[in-house]
Amino acid sequence: MINTDIIREKLENKKYLLGSHITGTDPQIAEIVGTYGVDYVWIDTEHTAMDKQTLLNHLIALRVSSTPAFVRIPWNAPTLAKPILDMGADGIIFPMIKTAEDARRAVSACLYPPDGIRGFGPRRATRFGLDNTMEYIQSDSKKIFKLLQIETREAVENIEEIARVPGVDVLVIGPMDLSGAYNKLAQTGDEEIQNVYRYVAKKAHEAHKPVLVSMGDYSCQGIRHWIEIGADMITVGNEPGYITDGLKTTLKNAAVVFEEYS
């Protein structure tokens, strides 16, 4: 059962979407984030210690709230995407897409023949046989989001061709790696880098593809900035950030009160 229809509907109606990252291993994280009402979650398996069983637990937890789950895999490889698709992920985020051929390879990994090369075995994806198999093959499986990360100079140079590849659903700006590609790692506010972000967003929109950004900053200023850049889907924060912000607030509040009673 794919939960992307409401995402597509909101995008078609020019609504902004909010997502949050999941990087830890406790499935209660996914349950909390999903229950609080974000539009989707980004589960990261590229830069985390998350294994497939942990990922599966997150997907199970998210089913409680029917929150769409997009999973970032470590590389653009069908062997990495296949088991995650069979677990019932609603989308795959493919990193380091550099060319139109890379984009076609990513799309192909998500589709069954004759449209792609995905092998058959969607046990959890079809709710263990409760959903009609042919309907899943011919319809539901095609609703899986293919999200392609633009993180290199080569990708920027090829952005028009990448954006036009059939089956690509969303183009993803990776602010940090893209800044590093221009030898300005972490200088995301640099004017040249800002113009690169704007260019990617412009070319994506010209091809009628929405733009997603992944970042840590969930302040009003940070979210507003990326909307002005051209992002349609704003993916912010993670549980370490939420915890540390909460702890900072707690310690600050306690210090004020303790001072009053000293």
Side-chain angles (χ1 to χ4, degrees), residues 75 95-100 102-103 149 152 154-156 158-159 162:
W75 202 248
M96 290 292 171
I97 300 297
K98 299 179 180 180
T99 65
D102 288 342
Q149 287 198 257
T152 66
E154 188 175 356
V156 174
N158 294 319
I159 189 65
I162 292 171

Side-chain angles (χ1 to χ4, degrees), residues 9-234:
E9 181 181 345
K10 287 184 176 181
L11 289 170
E12 288 172 2
N13 289 320
K14 307 300 181 184
K15 301 291 186 181
Y16 294 110
L17 280 78
L18 178 70
S20 187
H21 304 92
I22 293 176
T23 63
T25 58
D26 187 340
Q28 290 181 100
I29 296 167
E31 186 178 20
I32 292 168
V33 172
T35 299
Y36 264 74
V38 294
D39 292 300
Y40 60 91
V41 297
W42 168 311
I43 305 177
D44 195 70
T45 68
E46 181 181 11
H47 294 292
T48 68
M50 201 178 299
D51 59 20
K52 286 191 285 188
Q53 182 61 57
T54 301
L55 170 61
L56 177 59
N57 291 340
H58 282 313
L59 294 174
I60 291 171
L62 286 166
R63 179 161 287 179
V64 173
S65 58
S66 297
T67 305
F70 300 147
V71 180
R72 178 164 69 174
I73 57 178
W75 202 248
N76 182 15
T79 53
L80 296 175
K82 179 165 56 177
I84 294 172
L85 293 167
D86 290 343
M87 289 181 199
D90 299 289
I92 302 290
I93 303 163
F94 294 88
M96 290 292 171
I97 300 297
K98 299 179 180 180
T99 65
E101 181 55 37
D102 288 342
R104 284 188 285 269
R105 188 180 305 116
V107 171
S108 181
C110 298
L111 298 174
Y112 289 117
D115 303 304
I117 61 169
R118 179 181 172 186
F120 190 77
R123 293 172 182 83
R124 186 171 185 275
T126 59
R127 296 192 295 170
F128 306 101
L130 185 62
D131 295 337
N132 181 276
T133 298
M134 290 308 298
E135 183 176 336
Y136 179 79
I137 292 172
Q138 297 173 0
S139 179
D140 285 355
S141 65
K142 296 179 181 180
K143 297 178 182 179
I144 292 168
F145 261 58
K146 282 76 71 178
L147 305 98
L148 278 52
Q149 287 198 257
I150 306 301
E151 307 174 272
T152 66
R153 279 179 178 261
E154 188 175 356
V156 174
E157 293 166 358
N158 294 319
I159 189 65
E160 293 185 10
E161 291 80 10
I162 292 171
R164 288 199 299 265
V165 170
V168 172
D169 291 298
V170 178
L171 293 178
V172 180
I173 294 176
M176 292 296 283
D177 283 333
L178 197 47
S179 68
Y182 288 81
N183 298 319
K184 294 182 178 181
L185 182 61
Q187 299 177 47
T188 56
D190 179 87
E191 184 177 355
E192 178 191 15
I193 302 305
Q194 291 282 302
N195 286 335
V196 172
Y197 299 153
R198 290 188 180 92
Y199 177 76
V200 171
K202 178 176 180 289
K203 292 302 178 182
H205 290 154
E206 286 177 359
H208 307 291
K209 298 290 168 49
V211 174
L212 181 151
V213 66
S214 167
M215 62 177 185
D217 184 5
Y218 46 86
S219 67
C220 289
Q221 180 181 354
I223 294 172
R224 184 180 298 111
H225 173 74
W226 278 102
I227 287 178
E228 291 173 353
I229 290 289
D232 309 284
M233 303 171 71
I234 313 293

